[in-house]
Amino acid sequence: EQIENNSCRIQNGTVERMFAQFFPYATYQISFSGLNGECGFVFHLADQKAQLICSEDFLLFSDGGYAEKTELKEACAFRTLIVSCRPGAFDVYQLNNDKPDYLCTFKSDAFAKSNEEKLFRNGFVSLFARGTVTVSSVCAYMDCGISQADIRPIRYENGEVMVENGKITLIASTTEN
């Protein structure tokens, strides 16, 4: 594993690096190049673990005893993988011309209650890579994807955003499927 020019290069090895806390309505994104192996995410809850891994020609999702494979139409045509989470589901997109294109949804009974604070409180997400790949960015963010609506910061009556101890609290309505 080498860090150079703001990129992490994994050469013929296996790496798992924690990079963010798990949140059941967050979106996780990874950009990579030179994939000759696998690259993706591992989602950890208090008592559960799920993996969403991209290889050159398929996506593989697993959580405990369940595994599902989705063939890619083109051999790793994308270089940015986006995973939008919601309780019991992981929606997967590829970034294509700066626009997310939907690929598939992986359902997960193991993560059906991932929105319960006792489960996600100590959860985290890791970058996973095996083989040879260069990762140029990995990030987590809140967005208004298909799992939330009307995400907004809490504001004072005068319209200023409420900041407590350097943190902004967000509110969001959600949809149940």
Side-chain angles (χ1 to χ4, degrees):
E1 180 179 19
Q2 291 179 286
I3 308 294
E4 188 176 295
N5 297 324
N6 293 323
S7 294
C8 176
R9 175 124 174 104
I10 294 92
Q11 181 101 18
N12 298 322
T14 300
V15 172
E16 184 176 338
R17 297 280 182 253
M18 181 181 87
F19 78 92
Q21 183 171 359
F22 177 82
F23 187 70
Y25 300 102
T27 296
Y28 302 92
Q29 180 173 313
I30 185 170
S31 297
F32 55 88
S33 62
L35 181 63
N36 185 10
E38 302 171 329
C39 189
F41 299 108
V42 182
F43 302 91
H44 298 266
L45 290 181
D47 60 349
Q48 300 293 333
K49 178 174 147 180
Q51 290 186 308
L52 201 155
I53 306 297
C54 175
S55 80
E56 291 120 29
D57 54 357
F58 64 86
L59 291 171
L60 178 64
F61 176 81
S62 63
D63 66 357
Y66 173 76
E68 183 179 345
K69 189 180 201 179
T70 297
E71 301 291 327
L72 296 173
K73 293 176 183 156
E74 298 176 26
C76 204
F78 58 90
R79 295 292 179 248
T80 298
L81 179 68
I82 302 167
V83 181
S84 185
C85 296
R86 54 193 165 102
F90 296 84
D91 301 309
V92 184
Y93 302 82
Q94 66 180 346
L95 199 59
N96 190 1
N97 295 322
D98 295 325
K99 176 178 88 66
D101 286 338
Y102 174 77
L103 290 174
C104 64
T105 295
F106 293 109
K107 299 284 187 176
S108 172
D109 290 339
F111 275 66
K113 295 184 179 183
S114 64
N115 59 333
E116 293 180 10
E117 184 185 3
K118 66 182 179 188
L119 294 177
F120 77 78
R121 179 184 312 138
N122 295 316
F124 61 95
V125 181
S126 298
L127 152 72
F128 175 86
R130 178 182 297 138
T132 300
V133 64
T134 300
V135 177
S136 55
S137 74
V138 61
C139 61
Y141 50 90
M142 295 291 296
D143 68 352
C144 290
I146 65 169
S147 55
Q148 311 98 14
D150 304 325
I151 188 168
R152 298 167 189 221
I154 296 177
R155 297 180 181 270
Y156 291 105
E157 288 181 15
N158 67 2
E160 290 181 24
V161 173
M162 183 184 292
V163 178
E164 255 182 39
N165 297 323
K167 296 181 181 179
I168 296 173
T169 302
L170 302 173
I171 58 172
S173 59
T174 63
T175 57
E176 294 288 326
N177 288 348

